[in-house]
Amino acid sequence: MNQITRVITIFLLSMSIAQANNFVFSPINVLQGLSDNQIRYILQLPDGRMVFKTSGNINIYDGARFKYIHQTSQHIYPLKGYDGFYRIYQSGDSLLWIKDTHKLMCVDLRTEKYVSRLDSYFRKKGFKQPVEDLFMDSNQRLWLLTSGRLSQYNSSDFLNIAANHGKLQDLTSQNNNLYLFYNTGEIVCYDLKTKRKLYSNAAYPPQQQMFFKNTSLVVKGNNGFYQLRNGSKGGFFFFDTRKRIWKKILKTDYTLNTLIVNSNDTAYISCTNGIWIINCRNGEKQYLPTLQKIDGSILDTEISTLFYDKQNGLWLGTINQGLLYYHPFRYKFTNIGRSYFHESSTKDIIVQAFAEDQAENIYVKSQSAIYRYSSVKGNKILTALSPSSVPKEVLKKLNQNHTASLTDVRHWKWTGTQDGLKLFDPDKKEEKIFYTKDGLSNNFVHAILEDRNNNIWVTTSYGITKLQIDSTTRKVHLTSFSSDEGTLEGEYTNGAAFEATDGTLYFGGINGFSILNPGNMAEQKLPFRPVFTNLFLRGERIEAGNKYDGRIIMPETAPYTKDIELFYDQNFLTFEFSAVNYKNPSQTYYRYQLEGIDNNWRETSIGRQNENTDIDGILKTSYTNLPPGEYKLRVMASGNNRQWNGPVSELHITIHAPWWKTTVAYILFTSLFIIMLSTGIYLYIYYNRKKLERSHKEDILLVRIRNLIEQCDFLQAENETYLAKTNVHAAQSEDTHNENRADTAFLARALEQVEKNLDVPDYSVEKLSRDLCMDRTGLYRKLIALLDKSPSLFIRNIRLQRAAGLILEGELSITEITEKVGFSSSSYLSKCFQEMYGCRPSEYPEKMKKST
């Protein structure tokens, strides 16, 4: 009996493993940055980011990195009416309402912080009574339960539901009806326009209420609502809103944790061991008590929650082992790892070659054995064979010597080396070497294969690279695949590459081999626009709400930021974007353009060789020393089909000019320049006018001196005549007369000496003082006292007066007059003449005519 039980157990386990092989999950846990491995709820935000509620805190995941939002006791609001487990609702575009048993929290995603003191928050919204429970319907309307009254958040609408029996556990909506679900199993329908109760219906009789009374989870379907209920048993029900009837789909003796239903009415239910997959249209059920991970290991744990994202990926949250992610098209390659070979030896298994018999059976050769590979209903099987049981033609193929070289249909010769892939084009006589910087997955090449579509496949020490050659331009496009797409994590072996009759490709390596069905290469359009995740200023990550150089750069978190304003010296920037491509992050391509700097789009792909991106699908682009101005950063993302037909993310950036380069500063500078120019012109005119006035005064003074001399001579003659007749001499005036006569005589002698040497250019003050028998200082003081004029100016003015007289006579040219009056050049004469008379020498006669 025990033997029979053991056989049945092994059979059921093998069947479950075979079924689980259809689902190969990638683990995401604390090693990848998750805060802790106890997953309680999963939600996807409208921008594509994932929210994971763990026992510790909130995790926000952009496909590469986790951000944590921490809570304290002041963030918890008592919710006495809720007895269930974790539920998260998103209201608006930024608030997350988190329910747990008798607890309510709220997170504002714009600040990535919990909202403190929800009691005050609700009072401000008009809820005076304590909130007992909180719900969200299918139209994203929030409803709050207070003392038998169900009120719509941010609205005056409410329903009085005190008369209903039982405890309200959930609600949802359809059209203009609101459906309430009670712990009695009853559904109550209300018309929201009339506030009238339309009908009620129970999912099961009263005697079964104990089975399902504890918790409820409702999901909207195509023609009604699916409900997951738990009590002493677990139940899965469907309510048809057209027929107003219930249908029981599943009943278990254990708890059913979480429910999701896709558009095809396929339900996924997590439970204490594994998951249920139910086709609700035909009733077909599949139970997976264990799950398989990418490395081939089996996971046997409680699945606490699950979620079906908008990229058709399935997320499972476990009770203690983190997250599991599955996408039917994520793993383009099937990984046949060491566990499939069933070898007891701990030595590495080296897959050396592949072959195919006439029946299209695949044979695999390692260094120690030969296997036949088969796949039955998703179950991969390697069967060890003795050499005698292997067909001879297969043995011959397996024992052939394979090298990493190939001549393709274009007659191009490809050669794999330990440092790059060589390509020789005999037509152009050109050789090129491809490295990781060109897109090769690794520089050590082990095998080369050309498939039936003339694509070149290359295995390396890390990953596989596909080379596509454009038939028109002959340009080579490289696409690399890593373990994220199902390739081996170790290196591949030399020459182990094979294409089967049906087009399937096989690549051998260390401790396993990879299989590729070309049909798995189809790419889907990415559903989301790239999400702005981080901004770095001079290498420092900018935090929302913090000040940098006295300015808050991002009042809100990066995904909610559309405009950024910066000072002129805050111009060394790095931007991070995520395509939220969970299916194939390493197969993400970006194109971006900073309008105002980039004339064209820049295109980049994910890979270790690219400094702008990393292997997790994040774009990181930097711009340094940006000048002040308005900019717009535009970013697009695509899969490896590189079709740029998806949505564009835009970020507006303003870098303000320094104050001295602003419009106001330019106006001030212009005004100051105009003022200075006007002042300069005014001063120039003013001093020129003063100079002319001084010159005229000097001319008048000289005329007066001549008149004075003539008058003195005349008076002296008259006085002598008078004295001769009268013989009378006035003794009292003799001293004054002698003094005036001495001054007059001095000026006459000075004037005589200058005029006598008028044609001598170098007749200077020193010569004049010598001719007058005076020292230079005494001459200077004498002329200043008598004429208020220096000796040099006295000499120059006499020369200019003589020149003016000669000009009026009109007998000599300006050059001759220059020599006549002792000036060194005509230009100097013209300059001095204009300073004294206010006009050029040639204009002087005309000026004198006008003055007379």
Side-chain angles (χ1 to χ4, degrees):
M1 183 64 182
N2 291 335
Q3 183 68 22
I4 295 175
T5 303
R6 188 178 300 109
V7 170
I8 293 174
T9 302
I10 294 174
F11 173 76
L12 291 175
L13 180 60
S14 64
M15 287 299 295
S16 67
I17 293 175
Q19 292 172 332
N21 282 336
N22 293 323
F23 292 87
V24 179
F25 291 89
S26 299
I28 302 174
N29 49 46
V30 292
L31 297 178
Q32 287 76 40
L34 193 65
S35 64
D36 63 88
N37 286 334
Q38 299 179 13
I39 310 299
R40 293 294 178 258
Y41 199 85
I42 303 175
L43 178 73
Q44 188 169 32
L45 300 176
D47 60 17
R49 292 178 298 157
M50 301 299 298
V51 176
F52 305 114
K53 181 65 181 78
T54 67
S55 295
N57 50 31
I58 289 283
N59 296 250
I60 299 179
Y61 184 54
D62 60 17
R65 301 183 181 93
F66 290 90
K67 284 186 177 180
Y68 313 132
I69 304 178
H70 306 281
Q71 72 178 47
T72 63
S73 58
Q74 66 175 345
H75 301 139
I76 299 175
Y77 179 84
L79 201 66
K80 67 177 185 179
Y82 183 64
D83 300 324
F85 303 111
Y86 275 104
R87 298 283 295 275
I88 301 180
Y89 306 119
Q90 182 178 6
S91 65
D93 64 344
S94 62
L95 291 182
L96 294 181
W97 297 92
I98 305 166
K99 291 199 306 183
D100 192 14
T101 307
H102 299 159
K103 293 186 294 186
L104 176 67
M105 291 82 72
C106 181
V107 171
D108 187 349
L109 294 174
R110 291 185 178 272
T111 60
E112 292 182 355
K113 295 179 180 178
Y114 278 87
V115 177
S116 300
R117 301 193 60 83
L118 284 177
D119 51 350
S120 300
Y121 181 86
F122 287 136
R123 282 197 296 271
K124 290 179 182 178
K125 294 294 182 179
F127 296 93
K128 306 302 180 183
Q129 299 294 326
V131 176
E132 299 174 7
D133 207 342
L134 178 144
F135 308 93
M136 178 172 285
D137 64 23
S138 302
N139 297 96
Q140 306 302 306
R141 292 173 299 202
L142 209 60
W143 296 86
L144 279 69
L145 179 64
T146 56
S147 301
R149 177 170 169 160
L150 191 61
S151 304
Q152 187 178 338
Y153 183 76
N154 282 338
S155 173
S156 58
D157 291 346
F158 70 92
L159 295 174
N160 191 340
I161 61 172
N164 295 334
H165 297 290
K167 186 174 186 178
L168 180 63
Q169 292 182 319
D170 218 332
L171 62 77
T172 189
S173 60
Q174 186 180 66
N175 299 326
N176 203 47
N177 293 337
L178 188 68
Y179 297 84
L180 310 184
F181 297 83
Y182 286 84
N183 66 343
T184 60
E186 188 176 32
I187 182 173
V188 181
C189 177
Y190 283 87
D191 187 320
L192 289 177
K193 286 186 177 180
T194 63
K195 308 293 190 300
R196 189 170 60 88
K197 180 177 177 180
L198 299 180
Y199 64 88
S200 63
N201 195 352
Y204 38 79
Q207 57 269 27
Q208 296 185 14
Q209 289 181 9
M210 292 298 296
F211 296 157
F212 311 109
K213 71 172 186 177
N214 292 346
T215 63
S216 166
L217 176 61
V218 176
V219 175
K220 189 175 182 180
N222 289 326
N223 298 308
F225 307 108
Y226 294 95
Q227 185 181 30
L228 205 65
R229 301 200 61 89
N230 286 290
S232 59
K233 298 182 181 297
F236 177 41
F237 304 87
F238 176 72
F239 180 75
D240 190 326
T241 54
R242 297 173 303 175
K243 300 178 181 179
R244 299 183 180 180
I245 58 173
W246 284 95
K247 176 184 177 182
K248 184 187 294 183
I249 301 174
L250 177 69
K251 180 180 177 181
T252 64
D253 292 329
Y254 46 82
T255 299
L256 302 176
N257 292 329
T258 313
L259 164 70
I260 57 172
V261 182
N262 64 18
S263 59
N264 297 322
D265 286 325
T266 299
Y268 296 82
I269 303 173
S270 65
C271 53
T272 52
N273 286 99
I275 61 173
W276 280 94
I277 304 174
I278 302 175
N279 187 327
C280 298
R281 295 180 180 177
N282 58 24
E284 181 181 342
K285 300 180 181 66
Q286 182 183 11
Y287 176 52
L288 304 180
T290 59
L291 302 173
Q292 182 182 2
K293 295 193 289 187
I294 181 61
D295 60 0
S297 62
I298 301 301
L299 183 70
D300 184 8
T301 187
E302 179 177 351
I303 308 300
S304 56
T305 185
L306 44 75
F307 188 83
Y308 199 68
D309 68 24
K310 294 179 182 178
Q311 205 177 359
N312 298 322
L314 179 62
W315 297 84
L316 303 184
T318 68
I319 196 68
N320 54 17
Q321 297 194 40
L323 291 160
L324 298 172
Y325 177 76
Y326 164 78
H327 195 287
F329 301 110
R330 181 178 196 185
Y331 298 108
K332 297 177 174 62
F333 293 82
T334 301
N335 185 347
I336 306 301
R338 182 188 180 95
S339 59
Y340 288 89
F341 286 83
H342 306 295
E343 289 197 8
S344 57
S345 173
T346 58
K347 292 183 178 180
D348 287 338
I349 298 172
I350 303 174
V351 177
Q352 299 174 333
F354 302 90
E356 184 179 19
D357 63 17
Q358 294 181 353
E360 299 185 2
N361 294 313
I362 301 299
Y363 294 83
V364 182
K365 178 188 176 184
S366 72
Q367 84 276 25
S368 59
I370 296 175
Y371 301 85
R372 183 171 59 242
Y373 170 76
S374 60
S375 177
V376 181
K377 295 183 179 180
N379 192 24
K380 282 76 176 175
I381 301 174
L382 280 177
T383 304
L385 304 174
S386 64
S388 60
S389 63
V390 179
K392 292 182 179 180
E393 69 275 10
V394 172
L395 276 176
K396 183 177 180 181
K397 293 177 183 178
L398 291 174
N399 292 324
Q400 287 179 353
N401 187 23
H402 300 278
T403 60
S405 62
L406 171 74
T407 300
D408 65 18
V409 295
R410 291 165 288 269
H411 304 292
W412 290 3
K413 185 174 182 180
W414 303 83
T415 305
T417 73
Q418 295 180 358
D419 187 26
L421 173 66
K422 289 184 178 180
L423 167 62
F424 178 72
D425 185 348
D427 296 332
K428 296 182 178 180
K429 305 296 182 183
E430 292 179 353
E431 183 177 87
K432 177 178 175 58
I433 303 179
F434 296 93
Y435 298 104
T436 54
K437 65 182 180 61
D438 302 303
L440 199 64
S441 56
N442 185 269
N443 286 331
F444 197 130
V445 176
H446 291 280
I448 306 174
L449 173 70
E450 182 179 17
D451 66 20
R452 61 187 59 191
N453 296 316
N454 306 129
N455 298 313
I456 306 299
W457 296 85
V458 177
T459 63
T460 70
S461 289
Y462 185 84
I464 298 174
T465 301
K466 175 185 178 182
L467 296 92
Q468 295 173 280
I469 295 88
D470 190 296
S471 59
T472 304
T473 64
R474 297 282 183 161
K475 185 177 180 181
V476 181
H477 299 279
L478 288 81
T479 305
S480 293
F481 303 93
S482 64
S483 56
D484 287 335
E485 286 79 42
T487 65
L488 298 178
E489 292 191 356
E491 69 177 30
Y492 287 85
T493 50
N494 295 334
F498 177 74
E499 182 180 22
T501 304
D502 61 0
T504 302
L505 305 180
Y506 297 82
F507 304 98
I510 306 299
N511 293 322
F513 60 94
S514 302
I515 305 173
L516 174 66
N517 183 342
N520 292 341
M521 297 300 292
E523 279 293 326
Q524 293 178 317
K525 178 180 176 180
L526 296 180
F528 302 102
R529 68 181 72 246
V531 178
F532 177 38
T533 56
N534 278 307
L535 172 67
F536 294 86
L537 174 62
R538 309 183 197 105
E540 179 183 2
R541 188 163 73 91
I542 300 300
E543 299 289 347
N546 290 355
K547 284 187 176 182
Y548 299 85
D549 301 329
R551 175 192 290 272
I552 296 178
I553 295 177
M554 291 198 311
E556 299 177 334
T557 53
Y560 291 90
T561 297
K562 304 301 177 187
D563 298 277
I564 294 175
E565 293 191 21
L566 301 161
F567 290 128
Y568 72 95
D569 57 349
Q570 295 176 322
N571 56 353
F572 286 73
L573 305 173
T574 299
F575 305 90
E576 281 190 0
F577 284 82
S578 172
V580 286
N581 182 10
Y582 306 112
K583 183 183 73 170
N584 293 119
S586 62
Q587 294 298 309
T588 306
Y589 290 78
Y590 288 96
R591 65 188 314 203
Y592 62 95
Q593 179 186 30
L594 184 62
E595 293 184 358
I597 296 295
D598 300 325
N599 294 325
N600 301 301
W601 288 92
R602 297 185 183 187
E603 185 173 329
T604 182
S605 63
I606 302 306
R608 290 179 175 82
Q609 75 280 1
N610 199 314
E611 62 181 10
N612 285 339
T613 52
D614 60 40
I615 199 69
D616 293 321
I618 296 296
L619 169 69
K620 178 182 285 188
T621 179
S622 298
Y623 289 90
T624 60
N625 202 24
L626 290 174
E630 301 280 342
Y631 302 97
K632 182 194 293 184
L633 180 60
R634 307 173 68 212
V635 181
M636 300 179 68
S638 172
N640 60 18
N641 58 4
R642 305 188 194 188
Q643 294 182 2
W644 304 107
N645 55 1
V648 180
S649 293
E650 293 185 350
L651 181 64
H652 296 267
I653 304 146
T654 301
I655 299 180
H656 293 286
W659 68 266
W660 59 86
K661 289 186 178 181
T662 61
T663 303
V664 174
Y666 286 137
I667 293 174
L668 290 175
F669 294 153
T670 304
S671 301
L672 183 60
F673 174 75
I674 293 173
I675 292 172
M676 293 177 65
L677 181 62
S678 301
T679 303
I681 294 173
Y682 171 78
L683 293 175
Y684 175 78
I685 295 173
Y686 174 79
Y687 284 112
N688 273 347
R689 184 182 298 119
K690 289 293 184 181
K691 186 183 292 184
L692 291 175
E693 290 176 356
R694 189 165 56 248
S695 298
H696 287 300
K697 289 180 180 179
E698 291 173 357
D699 292 340
I700 294 171
L701 182 59
L702 287 174
V703 172
R704 289 178 178 175
I705 292 172
R706 289 182 183 274
N707 292 336
L708 179 61
I709 293 172
E710 292 174 358
Q711 290 174 5
C712 288
D713 292 340
F714 175 76
L715 291 174
Q716 184 177 1
E718 289 291 325
N719 190 35
E720 289 176 355
T721 302
Y722 176 76
L723 291 176
K725 291 180 180 181
T726 60
N727 293 320
V728 180
H729 181 72
Q732 63 272 21
S733 62
E734 183 176 358
D735 292 339
T736 302
H737 176 71
N738 289 338
E739 183 179 351
N740 290 337
R741 186 166 56 185
D743 291 343
T744 302
F746 169 76
L747 290 174
R749 284 192 300 115
L751 186 61
E752 179 184 359
Q753 290 299 323
V754 174
E755 288 182 341
K756 184 167 63 176
N757 294 282
L758 200 62
D759 58 347
V760 180
D762 59 350
Y763 189 74
S764 63
V765 175
E766 294 177 353
K767 291 182 180 180
L768 176 60
S769 61
R770 189 169 56 247
D771 291 343
L772 294 176
C773 300
M774 299 178 67
D775 60 65
R776 184 171 179 173
T777 304
L779 177 62
Y780 178 83
R781 290 175 178 173
K782 190 71 173 178
L783 287 177
I784 289 294
L786 294 176
L787 303 177
D788 193 24
K789 192 184 301 290
S790 66
S792 60
L793 192 59
F794 175 76
I795 295 172
R796 194 185 75 169
N797 286 352
I798 294 174
R799 292 181 188 275
L800 290 172
Q801 288 172 4
R802 179 60 178 158
L806 294 174
I807 291 171
L808 291 176
E809 291 175 2
E811 295 179 358
L812 299 176
S813 65
I814 297 299
T815 303
E816 293 171 331
I817 293 173
T818 300
E819 295 177 356
K820 195 77 172 174
V821 298
F823 275 91
S824 59
S825 66
S826 300
S827 59
Y828 183 56
L829 169 64
S830 178
K831 177 177 179 293
C832 295
F833 194 93
Q834 192 164 4
E835 290 178 358
M836 183 170 180
Y837 293 101
C839 64
R840 292 187 293 233
S842 59
E843 299 171 346
Y844 184 67
E846 185 66 27
K847 180 178 180 182
M848 294 304 295
K849 287 180 183 180
K850 292 180 180 180
S851 62
T852 57

